[in-house]
Amino acid sequence: VCIFAYGQTGSGKTHTMEGNEAMRGVNYRSLEMLFDIAHERRRVAKYEFKVSLLEIYNEQIKDLIETHDAKGEVKKLDIKNDPNGGTFVADLKSTNV
């Protein structure tokens, strides 16, 4: 699943994705729904979920989970194409949830 927010600075993208305590955002509600489905189907399948979060601003890609590399420097990320025609961000951190 890919959730994508696009818009001008200050248009509410972060609020839409994250929400607040009173009204959870799209990210949290989507994960909750996926966890509910996995729980309902636990007898027939085992699911594992990984999450990556990135921001693209002024043509710079920022890893929102792991902002710095092993040397303590800000990670420089690039969009790559894989041999099967897919697209990915090299060295983007993903974490199990």
Side-chain angles (χ1 to χ4, degrees), residues 14-78:
T14 299
H15 177 74
T16 298
M17 301 304 278
E18 295 181 10
N20 56 39
E21 288 184 32
M23 182 180 284
R24 299 180 90 184
V26 172
N27 287 343
Y28 296 103
R29 289 184 285 135
S30 298
L31 285 172
E32 188 174 72
M33 290 175 71
L34 288 171
F35 295 154
D36 288 345
I37 292 168
H39 181 74
E40 290 171 9
R41 298 178 183 175
R42 69 187 178 280
R43 291 188 180 97
V44 294
K46 180 181 176 184
Y47 294 89
E48 294 181 17
F49 298 99
K50 290 186 176 192
V51 172
S52 297
L53 297 169
L54 67 86
E55 172 184 82
I56 303 172
Y57 183 74
N58 286 338
E59 300 183 23
Q60 298 294 313
I61 303 169
K62 180 178 180 182
D63 188 329
L64 297 178
I65 295 176
E66 185 177 78
T67 57
H68 294 78
D69 63 19
K71 297 176 186 176
E73 298 175 10
V74 174
K75 288 170 69 172
K76 293 187 172 118
L77 302 174
D78 290 313

